[in-house]
Amino acid sequence: MKKAALAVLMYVYTSLTSAAVINVEFKFTPFTGNAKQDEQVTTVAGKARVYLNNIFLAEQEVRQEKVPVLFEAREIAPSVWVPVASIGPALRRGRNSIRFDFEPGDAKASYRAQLRWAVVNDEATEQRSAGQITSTNQSGEGVEEKAAAGKLSMAREFDAPFATEYPWHRAPAVTALGSADRQALEALVKARADSFRPPFEGVYAALKTSPQIKVEDVRKSKCLDKAYAAGVRINAPTAGQLDATLTGNAEVVLRSTSGDLFRPADPAKFQKIKGEEARMCAGMALYSAFPPRMVVVRNPAGDWEAVY
């Protein structure tokens, strides 16, 4: 009997140790109600912002609505769901930090927030309990709840052994920017904006770092030529308007002091692009090449370059 029990334990141990981590998922929900007892709770209207390693990832609007509380774990249907494997170069192999900042529409609102996380493995494991067999590919599950009034921040550290390692991940952190750095960064941003002109080689080079864009398809469609012919132009911050935020790592985040880093000089010109497909192609390509924020690092030669 003891040998059988030991064999089962060894089987479970072997399954767990052989499984590889392929993702880590985070779920965030601000709510009112009693998640421990109620079948539903009400989400709190506001804006949620997500940061990975102190780099802004996304902003998501949260609407007030009733959502279910699921399973015995009392898991609230998430307002924000982040599978970190899809994030890209901001994710580091090894230790990372993720932060959810929430700002309710009512600045004085009282509510609770739930943050859940789970490690996703490439193999499922089975568990037997009360004659039932359950299978899951998740492990390391956890939850944190916090009461708040007004703005809220919830953070969590995690490991990502599956992440792609980029050269700058091992570079020293940037702790200060001198006047020469700021001049170089202003020149880098201006050069990116000026690249939107025929034959658009600078734009095509920038698009190669975007996995969602097929550069050859953009070339063949000539949608950038059509956008330029329609009068579309790109504005960048002028001297003194560039905001450079240090992250505690090698990456520096660039944006304008007035908002987005790059903007169309006249948004109405997009409507003059001939053909719906051309407008969609140009819109996606220009948003990827001229994002609202841009992350830069120093390369081994000491020069600043955009990485995502």
Side-chain angles (χ1 to χ4, degrees), residues 99-153:
R99 188 176 86 244
F100 294 82
D101 288 351
F102 180 69
E103 184 176 357
D106 177 359
K108 298 180 180 180
S110 295
Y111 59 96
R112 297 186 68 81
Q114 185 181 95
L115 176 63
R116 286 185 172 270
W117 58 87
V119 172
V120 182
N121 304 290
D122 65 349
E123 294 181 4
T125 58
E126 292 185 349
Q127 294 181 342
R128 298 173 183 267
S129 177
Q132 294 183 333
I133 300 176
T134 59
S135 178
T136 180
N137 67 337
Q138 293 189 345
S139 61
E141 296 171 318
V143 59
E144 178 186 0
E145 275 196 21
K146 184 184 290 188
K151 293 182 180 179
L152 165 81
S153 183

Side-chain angles (χ1 to χ4, degrees), residues 10-267:
M10 288 299 293
Y11 170 77
V12 172
Y13 176 78
T14 303
S15 297
L16 289 174
T17 54
S18 63
V21 176
I22 59 173
N23 206 346
V24 182
E25 297 183 347
F26 291 89
K27 299 175 182 179
F28 172 80
T29 310
F31 68 96
T32 57
N34 190 333
K36 294 181 180 179
Q37 297 179 358
D38 299 340
E39 295 302 315
Q40 290 183 326
V41 295
T42 303
T43 54
V44 178
K47 291 187 182 298
R49 299 177 180 89
V50 185
Y51 296 81
L52 181 73
N53 299 324
N54 293 320
I55 297 173
F56 175 83
L57 286 183
E59 178 179 278
Q60 183 167 324
E61 181 181 357
V62 180
R63 298 180 180 180
Q64 181 177 316
E65 58 185 347
K66 290 188 178 298
V67 296
V69 181
L70 306 169
F71 317 120
E72 294 181 2
R74 311 308 295 164
E75 179 178 344
I76 301 172
S79 298
V80 183
W81 174 51
V82 181
V84 300
S86 63
I87 287 175
L91 186 69
R92 292 170 175 266
R93 183 179 299 174
R95 204 65 168 166
N96 293 266
S97 65
I98 191 168
R99 188 176 86 244
F100 294 82
D101 288 351
F102 180 69
E103 184 176 357
D106 177 359
K108 298 180 180 180
S110 295
Y111 59 96
R112 297 186 68 81
Q114 185 181 95
L115 176 63
R116 286 185 172 270
W117 58 87
V119 172
V120 182
N121 304 290
D122 65 349
E123 294 181 4
T125 58
E126 292 185 349
Q127 294 181 342
R128 298 173 183 267
S129 177
Q132 294 183 333
I133 300 176
T134 59
S135 178
T136 180
N137 67 337
Q138 293 189 345
S139 61
E141 296 171 318
V143 59
E144 178 186 0
E145 275 196 21
K146 184 184 290 188
K151 293 182 180 179
L152 165 81
S153 183
M154 299 182 77
R156 176 80 182 171
E157 290 190 343
F158 66 97
D159 290 322
F162 50 85
T164 300
E165 187 169 78
Y166 292 86
W168 64 87
H169 286 176
R170 294 184 178 271
V174 176
T175 58
L177 294 173
S179 58
D181 291 313
R182 294 189 178 277
Q183 290 175 7
L185 292 174
E186 288 175 355
L188 176 67
V189 171
K190 185 178 185 302
R192 173 66 68 93
D194 290 345
S195 70
F196 183 58
R197 62 180 61 177
F200 309 109
E201 291 305 321
V203 181
Y204 293 132
L207 291 177
K208 289 181 180 179
T209 64
S210 177
Q212 295 84 14
I213 301 292
K214 295 183 179 180
V215 178
E216 287 308 310
D217 290 348
V218 177
R219 282 183 182 274
K220 290 178 182 178
S221 72
K222 294 188 177 296
C223 62
L224 295 183
D225 301 77
K226 294 174 183 177
Y228 194 85
V232 175
R233 300 293 185 270
I234 301 296
N235 282 347
T238 57
Q241 291 184 327
L242 183 66
D243 178 71
T245 302
L246 306 183
T247 64
N249 291 308
E251 295 98 324
V252 175
V253 182
L254 304 182
R255 60 174 302 186
S256 169
T257 55
S258 59
D260 292 347
L261 181 62
F262 297 106
R263 295 179 178 179
D266 183 357

